């Protein structure tokens, strides 16, 4: 059986949780797992395909939320600039 190369490590998940201010319980709720299951997976560095895919999706969502926030700020700037021209 061919071993897959991990894209997400236990340390990256820990760092992600810290950056996002997420507890393992909150992470579990987001990805449909229990806190003990996540803690076990991280402690033995055995990241399942489900955890990996879920973390990658969460990262993408967070990136898109940030982009949306930036676009909304830009939109407000543009609206304000067009109002000043009148």
């Amino acid at each position: 059986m061919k071993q897959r190369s991990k894209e997400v490590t236990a340390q990256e998940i820990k760092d992600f949780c810290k950056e996002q201010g997420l507890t393992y319980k909150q992470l579990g709720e987001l990805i449909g797992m229990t806190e003990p299951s996540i803690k076990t997976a991280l402690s033995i560095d055995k990241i399942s395909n489900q955890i990996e895919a879920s973390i990658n999706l969460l990262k993408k969502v967070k990136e898109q939320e940030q982009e949306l926030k930036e676009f909304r700020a830009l939109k407000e700037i543009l609206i304000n600039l067009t109002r000043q021209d009148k």
Side-chain angles (χ1 to χ4, degrees):
M1 181 176 209
K2 190 175 180 183
Q3 187 80 358
R4 71 177 180 88
S5 62
K6 281 192 224 173
E7 292 183 23
V8 178
T9 65
Q11 188 59 50
E12 288 172 330
I13 295 171
K14 292 174 186 178
D15 293 343
F16 175 76
C17 287
K18 189 173 185 176
E19 290 166 9
Q20 299 300 317
L22 292 172
T23 64
Y24 293 149
K25 181 178 181 177
Q26 292 167 323
L27 177 64
E29 289 169 358
L30 288 171
I31 65 173
M33 294 184 70
T34 64
E35 179 183 11
S37 296
I38 291 173
K39 284 183 175 182
T40 299
L42 296 179
S43 69
I44 61 174
D45 197 17
K46 187 171 182 180
I47 310 305
S48 69
N49 290 336
Q50 176 190 359
I51 295 172
E52 184 174 338
S54 297
I55 293 297
N56 286 333
L57 285 172
L58 276 177
K59 286 180 178 181
K60 189 67 174 171
V61 166
K62 295 296 182 181
E63 288 170 8
Q64 290 179 339
E65 286 174 345
Q66 181 60 36
E67 286 178 16
L68 181 58
K69 184 179 177 181
E70 292 168 4
F71 281 123
R72 286 182 175 155
L74 180 58
K75 177 185 170 185
E76 286 301 313
I77 291 169
L78 292 172
I79 289 170
N80 291 332
L81 285 174
T82 57
R83 287 183 185 154
Q84 290 176 1
D85 289 340
K86 292 182 180 181

